[in-house]
Amino acid sequence: PYLHQSVLNFADIELLSSHTASAIMDLGPELTNRLLKLPWYSLSFRETVEQLSSKTYTSSRIRRGLLHLVLGIYETDFKEHYSQCPAPYVKILGLRTSASPLLKAIKNNTSIPIITKPASAKKLITRKSQWYHKIDLKADLLYQSLLYQKTGKKLPGPMQLSPVIIKE
């Protein structure tokens, strides 16, 4: 099914209409101004990207910038957090049962937390990596919301999801 509601409807409207939106990573002042001139609230995400695409701005950069807008990722925040903690943790999404010994070896020999159960993430991540975790949770909730709108399928909340285990 076609998803008419724009992903941009999940963006903070005040942020979008203010000039601080140009500080969003990968947007910049020119793209922000072009976005504000569009009826983005009535366009699908795809239509918004098509309207903003040009020789100067590729559709990949525009999609990335719009996603950063929805997630509230400012360029200055990203640079600050990345400089302090470029790889804050590893989140396991799935694994084969035969890879369990490898995962155990990695856990025993790494300095960054490996999250296998989302509910235990808060205990594992450091204060420096909380910003990343907050963005991860927003992205998970956005995905779940869009999936539900498109298919009617409900997923467990991001803190209840477990990695997919493939038995061999």
Side-chain angles (χ1 to χ4, degrees):
Y2 177 73
L3 180 65
H4 180 71
Q5 182 177 3
S6 176
V7 171
L8 294 177
N9 289 336
F10 290 93
D12 181 349
I13 300 303
E14 288 179 24
L15 171 66
L16 190 57
S17 61
S18 71
H19 291 290
T20 56
S22 64
I24 293 290
M25 193 162 163
D26 290 317
L27 270 187
E30 187 182 334
L31 262 179
T32 301
N33 289 334
R34 291 177 62 199
L35 177 61
L36 290 173
K37 291 176 185 172
L38 291 177
W40 55 266
Y41 44 84
S42 63
L43 297 174
S44 70
F45 190 78
R46 181 178 293 149
E47 291 166 335
T48 304
V49 171
E50 288 170 1
Q51 293 283 324
L52 293 172
S53 293
S54 67
K55 288 182 181 179
T56 309
Y57 299 106
T58 64
S59 57
S60 294
R61 177 176 173 186
I62 294 166
R63 281 192 301 272
R64 208 171 39 248
L66 294 176
L67 186 57
H68 291 155
L69 175 67
V70 170
L71 296 175
I73 302 174
Y74 287 89
E75 190 158 354
T76 53
D77 290 344
F78 178 78
K79 286 179 178 178
E80 176 190 334
H81 291 283
Y82 186 79
S83 69
Q84 293 177 13
C85 189
Y89 56 85
V90 173
K91 183 177 172 183
I92 303 296
L93 301 176
L95 73 146
R96 295 181 186 277
T97 52
S98 61
S100 292
L102 175 62
L103 179 61
K104 191 173 189 174
I106 292 170
K107 276 185 169 182
N108 292 334
N109 294 298
T110 187
S111 61
I112 61 173
I114 296 180
I115 299 170
T116 53
K117 295 177 185 166
S120 64
K122 287 202 177 210
K123 290 183 258 174
L124 296 172
I125 60 175
T126 65
R127 219 181 80 196
K128 288 181 180 177
S129 60
Q130 287 174 352
W131 181 82
Y132 290 101
H133 189 249
K134 182 178 158 188
I135 300 293
D136 272 351
L137 289 176
K138 280 184 180 178
D140 286 345
L141 290 170
L142 175 64
Y143 174 78
Q144 289 180 358
S145 296
L146 293 171
L147 180 70
Y148 180 74
Q149 284 179 16
K150 189 171 184 176
T151 65
K153 182 179 179 182
K154 290 183 181 182
L155 293 176
M159 299 307 279
Q160 288 87 32
L161 285 174
S162 294
V164 175
I165 307 294
I166 300 171
K167 297 179 181 176
E168 300 172 290

